Amino acid sequence: KQEVTQIPAALSVPEGENLVLNCSFTDSAIYNLQWFRQDPGKGLTSLLLIQSSQREQTSGRLNASLDKSSGRSTLYIAASQPGDSATYLCAVRGNNDMRFGAGTRLTVKP
Amino acid sequence: DTEVTQTPKHLVMGMTNKKSLKCEQHMGHRAMYWYKQKAKKPPELMFVYSYEKLSINESVPSRFSPECPNSSLLNLHLHALQPEDSALYLCASSLPGASDLYGYTFGSGTRLTVV
């Protein structure tokens, strides 16, 4: 069964810093990997989707990479802002379902 | 339409009540999912429907009963729930398996409280 791990569990940074969130998974037979953002008590907002054949995807200040063979992905956030404060979830898509990591709770201090 | 709509947004029910959660999408997705999320935990998969057929049931208690009446609708019928079933229930949809080029789309969830 796929296991997804996210490090760190929580992160607090001052505004303007660049930061990296890490995700690892145990089974490399995946279709894609998706990064989500979740604000407290809300649903999940998709940030970036990387197909298994791709190495990275970029959207604005966000860049996600994927190394399928080693079972790793990173989410890079440039020039962090207080509005980036949220929980970031990594999810790995297999044939029938998607499995989530426990998330990284990010706080960006003004 | 690129949304998954869930109703109601909030639900409070007693342990003897019967209620239903509803999920709707019009993106042509043929796979739909129910997830349960407790506070400060990741979403946990409950059910998967693929082409309106139940393909995965993650050993969910029978007091939760899913239904997929058509390709756009997914229901979750609730009966005799326990207080520990209080959680955020999330619905998602996607294209199935290897056809999935766009990932999952999630609804905003139903916040369920069992009293």
Side-chain angles (χ1 to χ4, degrees), chain B residues 44-114:
Chain B
E44 293 179 352
L45 183 66
M46 299 175 72
F47 303 104
V48 178
Y49 274 85
S50 181
Y51 294 94
E52 295 91 69
K53 286 185 170 41
L54 183 65
S55 61
I56 292 180
N57 176 341
E58 291 282 297
S59 303
V60 179
S62 60
R63 57 186 184 270
F64 295 91
S65 175
E67 178 195 22
C68 190
N70 59 57
S71 60
S72 299
L73 280 175
L74 185 66
N75 298 319
L76 186 62
H77 303 296
L78 313 172
H79 173 56
L81 294 193
Q82 303 296 310
E84 58 265 27
D85 296 322
S86 298
L88 181 67
Y89 288 83
L90 293 163
C91 174
S93 70
S94 76
L95 293 170
S99 306
D100 181 16
L101 302 179
Y102 305 105
Y104 280 33
T105 301
F106 277 83
S108 57
T110 294
R111 172 69 61 188
L112 174 67
T113 303
V114 181

Side-chain angles (χ1 to χ4, degrees), chain A:
Chain A
K1 184 177 173 178
Q2 181 74 268
E3 300 287 338
V4 184
T5 302
Q6 288 188 247
I7 294 173
L11 183 62
S12 181
V13 301
E15 181 177 4
E17 273 205 6
N18 303 326
L19 56 101
V20 175
L21 309 182
N22 297 289
C23 171
S24 61
F25 48 95
T26 55
D27 185 352
S28 62
I30 66 170
Y31 285 136
N32 57 51
L33 183 146
Q34 201 164 354
W35 283 93
F36 292 91
R37 168 188 172 138
Q38 187 173 32
D39 293 294
K42 305 294 185 182
L44 276 65
T45 300
S46 180
L47 298 174
L48 288 165
L49 170 72
I50 311 177
Q51 299 295 341
S52 62
S53 59
Q54 296 176 323
R55 298 284 292 181
E56 68 176 334
Q57 283 287 334
T58 298
S59 176
R61 294 183 294 109
L62 305 180
N63 175 276
S65 68
L66 174 64
D67 184 342
K68 198 176 79 159
S69 61
S70 67
R72 295 175 191 271
S73 176
T74 61
L75 178 67
Y76 175 83
I77 302 177
S80 58
Q81 303 170 357
D84 295 331
S85 297
T87 295
Y88 290 80
L89 293 157
C90 162
V92 174
R93 173 71 189 268
N95 186 35
N96 283 318
D97 62 6
M98 173 173 278
R99 301 287 172 172
F100 285 83
T104 294
R105 192 160 53 255
L106 174 65
T107 302
V108 181
K109 296 173 288 187

Side-chain angles (χ1 to χ4, degrees), chain B residues 14-69:
Chain B
M15 290 188 284
T16 58
N17 291 159
K18 286 185 180 181
K19 296 286 185 183
S20 296
L21 309 185
K22 180 179 174 182
C23 174
E24 192 168 5
Q25 57 87 17
H26 297 286
M27 294 177 282
H29 289 171
R30 301 306 297 273
M32 296 186 76
Y33 315 84
W34 280 115
Y35 282 82
K36 173 182 178 179
Q37 187 179 26
K38 302 283 277 184
K40 299 190 187 302
K41 298 290 187 182
E44 293 179 352
L45 183 66
M46 299 175 72
F47 303 104
V48 178
Y49 274 85
S50 181
Y51 294 94
E52 295 91 69
K53 286 185 170 41
L54 183 65
S55 61
I56 292 180
N57 176 341
E58 291 282 297
S59 303
V60 179
S62 60
R63 57 186 184 270
F64 295 91
S65 175
E67 178 195 22
C68 190

